[in-house]
């Protein structure tokens, strides 16, 4: 070292900025540099006793660094310019490692250009933490978008959570900070320490693009085993090849909605939830045995508060650590597909929670959220609203959607809270919202985003047949129409109107149902305006709404009979089906995320009977094309009796357009009706293939002795008719021979 240059070419201003953690470009000072005095190496290692430079080729010491600042800055001349390692003495504990600041940029100019263009595939490829090899050295590449930060450091156990140790390089063109940390491996915990442009050190931030996280209540990110995901041994090729047909509007789709953490808690082990391997062993055979075609999970992306049921996620690329490592989820999906069960995820793109370690004010500015609280704050949920008009935010969320489909082979995404995204005045009083550029209430940026998501899902290579489903509760037109036709591009929409109307009807005492008859028929007025899913979801059995069984009037027997009749109506009505866990066996209690469904009730005949009915309805629905093939086409349904409000009776035909035909009759009073004539299209024998009043389901076993023969008596516009016995509070299904 030159006596004339004790700082080895460093200016005192740079020294102060480095040791104070304020330097905007650490690579300009740290690592190998050529100075007037010769080749030098500089490193910032607070707490180190001494540092030597070791030639990577032969282990020879080629320089000893002097401590030029007591806060851990070391520098000195080296004998020659060649690859090297740092030998660090941590006061008796020796470590030898490559110098982070000896490596060049790790993201290519092309990758940066793609990120700058807000390419979601660039987000998937570049951002987050990725084990990799650089110049033959294994380590982890970190990259995070924080364009307005003054300094970003990656911190973790590997550097004692000291933000001075690993400040990152800013790639200005994309606003992305990057760093390669040698010898780091999968499993390492980390966060980002960010200094805002006004000099504030922000609360430590989790990685928005992390593939794995710590288990709550811990909030750190974890370097995932990328090779374990990228090279997962998928064996579901046959399922993927046939998925488009299985999930089309003409296919039978019966969805079992599940809160994964509480579906089956292990009481003897602290009431813990099952991990993905245990869920694969238990949930998949149960759902298939019940006849469901798909399981749909409430959001499984990592979320800090379990009481949000996943609807306030902070790591939208990471399966929650509550269920084990990410490979476990891949294992579950693969097992499900091998067995013939589809997997749908609830996905949240409307908002995110305001936890300090999350996305809020990520780089000290409103980066992911709107700056104006009239646009950026959800007063209903105390959450922040994504700024979907910002291209980088849109790309981030599109990348999240694609990640679940590409990395985990998920079959579909049910997009949460679409109504809240479409309208700027959603749940806001006058003066509390900002109109769009035309002065209207429509959220043009969110509309464009939703179209983009659906377009990307529709055309993404490697995800043939994947679907998107909108939870949308308004009369917004064209939710399932193609974007080129002015629609949003979803494949299906939850029919919230049908659900509200029919549950309102069922809640009424049968004496008064005659005055609410239209609630059961109105759904057919708009049944073909969209491709619908009929949802009896978790939303209907929480927050004091009571269970499905609890909504039914009458004594205990009548409550069960009402629910069975309602299920019969639902499963034979046009639209795909969705039922939340616990509803399939008519549990009394509301959904409680801290407890399991009340499985012990299956020991009681009435509850077991409802479960048996749901199983049989699913099997009938899947087996008979008349009940599903023309769900979204007018030719598949015809009212036979839609105006008998005096008796609260409904009758209708279902057909598949190819000769299969079903007649359904519902009696929503506790009064048996004998001699009830129904018009039939086809003559001959009609089998009674399902009767919700059957004894096996807990009913009174009143019915039609297995079937009826038509008479040449015209009725209800049909040339034939049959005289039926309608059981009390029951739905019967007749199939033409």
């Amino acid at each position: 070292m030159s006596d004339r240059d004790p700082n080895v070419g460093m200016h005192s201003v740079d020294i102060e900025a480095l040791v104070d953690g304020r330097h905007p470009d650490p690579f300009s000072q740290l690592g190998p540099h050529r100075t007037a005095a010769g080749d030098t190496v500089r490193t910032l290692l607070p707490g180190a006793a001494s540092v030597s430079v070791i030639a990577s080729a032969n282990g020879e010491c080629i320089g000893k660094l002097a401590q030029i600042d007591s806060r851990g800055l070391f520098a000195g001349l080296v004998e020659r310019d060649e690859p090297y390692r740092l030998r660090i003495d941590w006061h008796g504990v020796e470590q030898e490692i490559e110098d982070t600041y000896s490596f060049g940029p790790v993201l290519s100019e092309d990758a940066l250009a793609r990120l700058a263009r807000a390419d979601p595939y660039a987000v998937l490829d570049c951002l987050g933490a990725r084990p990799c090899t650089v110049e033959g050295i294994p380590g982890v590449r970190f990259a995070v978008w924080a364009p307005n930060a003054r300094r970003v450091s990656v911190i973790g156990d590997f550097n004692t959570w000291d933000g001075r140790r690993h400040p990152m390089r800013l790639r200005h063109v994309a606003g992305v900070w990057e760093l390669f940390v040698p010898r780091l491996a999968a499993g390492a915990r980390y966060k980002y320490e960010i200094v805002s442009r006004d000099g504030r050190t922000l609360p430590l931030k989790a990685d928005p693009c992390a593939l794995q996280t710590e288990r709550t209540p811990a909030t750190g990110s974890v370097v995932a085993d990328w090779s374990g995901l990228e090279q997962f041994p998928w064996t579901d090729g046959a399922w993927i090849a046939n998925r488009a047909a299985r999930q089309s509007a003409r296919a039978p789709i019966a969805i079992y909605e599940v809160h994964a953490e509480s579906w089956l808690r292990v009481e003897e082990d602290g009431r813990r939830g099952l991990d993905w391997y245990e869920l694969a062993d238990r949930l998949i055979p149960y759902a298939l045995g019940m006849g469901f075609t798909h399981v749909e999970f409430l959001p499984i992306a990592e979320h800090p508060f379990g009481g949000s049921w996943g609807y306030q996620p902070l790591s939208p690329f990471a399966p929650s650590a509550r269920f084990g490592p990410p490979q476990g989820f891949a294992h579950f999906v693969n097992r499900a597909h091998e067995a013939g069960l589809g997997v749908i995820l609830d996905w949240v793109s409307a908002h995110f929670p305001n936890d300090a370690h999350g996305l809020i004010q990520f780089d000290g500015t409103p980066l992911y959220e709107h700056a104006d609280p009239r646009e950026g704050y959800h007063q209903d949920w105390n959450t922040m609203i994504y700024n979907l008009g910002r291209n980088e935010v849109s790309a981030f969320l599109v990348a999240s959607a694609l990640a679940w489909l590409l990395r985990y082979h998920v079959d579909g995404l049910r997009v949460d809270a679409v109504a809240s995204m479409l309208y700027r005045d959603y749940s806001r009083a006058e003066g509390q919202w900002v109109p769009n550029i035309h002065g209207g209430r429509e959220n043009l940026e969110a509309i464009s985003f939703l179209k983009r998501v659906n377009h990307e899902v529709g055309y993404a290579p490697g995800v043939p047949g994947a679907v998107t489903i909108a939870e949308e509760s308004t009369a917004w037109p064209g939710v399932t129409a193609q974007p080129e036709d002015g629609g949003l591009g979803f494949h299906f929409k939850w029919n919230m109107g049908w659900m509200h109307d029919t549950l309102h009807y069922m809640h009424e005492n049968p004496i008064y149902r005659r005055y609410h008859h239209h609630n059961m028929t109105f759904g057919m007025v708009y049944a073909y305006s969209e491709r619908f899913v009929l949802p009896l979801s978790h939303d209907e059995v929480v927050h004091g709404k009571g269970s499905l069984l609890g909504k039914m009037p009458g004594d205990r027997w009548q409550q069960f009979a009402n629910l069975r009749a309602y299920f019969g109506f639902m499963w034979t009505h046009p639209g795909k089906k969705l039922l939340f866990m616990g509803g399939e066996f008519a549990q009394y209690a509301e959904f409680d995320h801290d407890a399991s469904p009340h499985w012990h009730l299956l020991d009681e005949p009435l509850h077991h009977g409802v479960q048996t009915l749901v199983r049989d309805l699913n099997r009938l629905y899947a087996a008979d094309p008349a009940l599903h093939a023309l769900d979204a086409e007018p030719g598949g349904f015809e009212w036979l009796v839609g105006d008998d409000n005096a008796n609260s009776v409904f009758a209708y035909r279902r057909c598949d357009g190819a000769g299969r035909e079903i007649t359904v009759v519902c009696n929503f009073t506790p009064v048996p009706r004998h001699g009830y004539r129904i018009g039939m299209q086809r003559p001959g024998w009609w089998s009674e293939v399902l009767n919700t009043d059957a004894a096996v389901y807990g009913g009174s076993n009143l019915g039609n002795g297995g079937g009826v023969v038509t008479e040449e008596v015209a009725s209800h516009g049909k040339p034939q008719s049959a005289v039926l016995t309608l059981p009390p509070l029951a739905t019967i299904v007749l199939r033409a021979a």
Side-chain angles (χ1 to χ4, degrees), residues 224-237:
D225 177 8
W226 173 246
S227 63
L229 285 174
E230 192 176 37
Q231 300 170 19
F232 184 85
W234 293 99
T235 55
D236 62 347

Side-chain angles (χ1 to χ4, degrees), residues 383-499:
T383 54
M384 311 310 295
I385 300 171
Y386 283 110
N387 182 359
L388 297 173
R390 185 159 192 166
N391 290 337
E392 297 94 336
V393 176
S394 174
F396 167 77
L397 289 168
V398 172
S400 167
L402 293 172
W404 297 105
L405 303 175
L406 291 167
R407 291 173 179 162
Y408 297 104
H409 290 204
V410 165
D411 301 297
L413 300 174
R414 176 269 200 184
V415 183
D416 180 62
V418 170
S420 76
M421 300 174 68
L422 292 174
Y423 298 98
R424 287 177 162 267
D425 63 345
Y426 181 87
S427 193
R428 293 182 185 272
E430 188 172 351
Q432 294 181 346
W433 58 281
V434 179
N436 63 33
I437 58 173
H438 305 298
R441 59 194 287 255
E442 298 82 9
N443 190 326
L444 304 180
E445 295 82 7
I447 294 166
S448 177
F449 165 76
L450 291 169
K451 289 181 178 181
R452 183 184 184 189
V453 169
N454 290 323
H455 173 84
E456 292 289 352
V457 171
Y459 291 94
V463 294
V467 297
T468 57
I469 305 168
E471 186 213 13
E472 205 284 311
S473 57
T474 73
W476 185 277
V479 172
T480 58
Q482 290 299 309
E484 53 265 33
D485 297 325
L488 295 180
F490 286 93
H491 296 86
F492 297 99
K493 171 185 173 177
W494 273 20
N495 195 337
M496 312 290 279
W498 177 91
M499 178 268 299

Side-chain angles (χ1 to χ4, degrees), residues 176-418:
V176 169
W177 300 76
E178 61 164 28
L179 194 71
F180 175 70
V181 180
R183 304 296 173 180
L184 204 58
R189 301 187 304 154
Y190 71 100
K191 281 188 176 181
Y192 294 114
E193 182 179 278
I194 300 177
V195 176
S196 68
R197 61 187 174 191
D198 60 5
R200 292 177 294 121
T201 300
L202 304 177
L204 301 182
K205 296 290 187 178
D207 187 349
C209 294
L211 301 181
Q212 187 174 348
T213 67
E214 290 186 281
R215 181 163 183 166
T216 56
T219 57
S221 303
V222 175
V223 177
D225 177 8
W226 173 246
S227 63
L229 285 174
E230 192 176 37
Q231 300 170 19
F232 184 85
W234 293 99
T235 55
D236 62 347
W239 169 274
I240 298 295
N242 295 313
R243 182 167 61 183
R246 291 174 181 265
Q247 300 190 154
S248 75
R250 289 195 163 211
I253 298 177
I255 303 166
Y256 185 46
E257 189 188 32
V258 171
H259 179 243
E261 188 175 11
S262 64
W263 180 73
L264 185 63
R265 291 190 178 275
V266 183
E267 294 292 332
E268 59 271 23
D269 192 8
R271 304 178 72 207
R272 68 170 179 85
L274 303 182
D275 64 26
W276 288 120
Y277 296 92
E278 293 168 317
L279 282 165
D281 290 339
R282 302 294 295 272
L283 176 56
I284 292 171
Y286 177 77
L288 286 171
M290 286 295 296
F292 289 101
T293 63
H294 292 71
V295 60
E296 177 178 323
F297 289 114
L298 276 57
I300 64 164
E302 191 60 84
H303 50 283
F305 177 46
S308 74
W309 316 325
Y311 289 101
Q312 294 185 11
L314 270 184
S315 293
F317 294 82
S320 174
R322 294 167 173 85
F323 313 110
Q327 290 85 346
F329 181 57
H331 170 84
F332 178 92
V333 176
N334 194 54
R335 285 271 302 275
H337 287 173
E338 286 183 324
L341 184 70
V343 180
I344 298 170
L345 295 186
D346 282 9
W347 181 68
V348 183
S349 57
H351 60 134
F352 60 88
N354 57 13
D355 298 66
H357 70 279
L359 301 178
I360 188 170
Q361 293 276 318
F362 187 76
D363 63 359
T365 67
L367 192 63
Y368 288 89
E369 70 272 29
H370 292 273
D372 189 333
R374 296 175 298 169
E375 297 181 278
Y377 177 67
H378 242 312
Q379 51 197 4
D380 289 354
W381 302 317
N382 190 32
T383 54
M384 311 310 295
I385 300 171
Y386 283 110
N387 182 359
L388 297 173
R390 185 159 192 166
N391 290 337
E392 297 94 336
V393 176
S394 174
F396 167 77
L397 289 168
V398 172
S400 167
L402 293 172
W404 297 105
L405 303 175
L406 291 167
R407 291 173 179 162
Y408 297 104
H409 290 204
V410 165
D411 301 297
L413 300 174
R414 176 269 200 184
V415 183
D416 180 62
V418 170

Side-chain angles (χ1 to χ4, degrees), residues 554-597:
D555 59 25
R556 188 169 186 266
W557 188 92
Q558 289 185 356
Q559 282 186 301
F560 279 91
N562 270 301
L563 185 59
R564 293 194 303 267
Y566 181 51
F567 281 166
F569 175 78
M570 172 180 172
W571 257 261
T572 55
H573 190 284
K576 310 312 177 187
K577 324 301 176 191
L578 179 141
L579 183 63
F580 184 58
M581 64 182 198
E584 78 273 22
F585 58 85
Q587 78 168 34
Y588 284 109
E590 285 189 344
F591 166 48
D592 177 1
H593 68 275
D594 288 325
S596 295

Side-chain angles (χ1 to χ4, degrees), residues 1-10 35-37 42:
M1 185 185 302
S2 170
D3 292 336
R4 293 173 299 170
D5 186 11
N7 292 339
V8 197
M10 297 186 71
T35 70
R42 306 163 184 154

Side-chain angles (χ1 to χ4, degrees), residues 663 665 675-682 684-686 704 707-716 718-726 734:
T663 292
V665 188
Y676 198 100
R677 186 174 293 276
I678 293 290
M680 301 289 208
Q681 183 69 34
R682 296 168 61 173
W685 173 259
W686 287 68
N704 295 278
V708 294
V709 178
T710 63
E711 302 171 353
E712 292 187 15
V713 177
S715 183
H716 303 111
K718 304 300 176 187
Q720 300 280 319
S721 62
V723 176
L724 303 176
T725 295
L726 306 186
L734 303 165

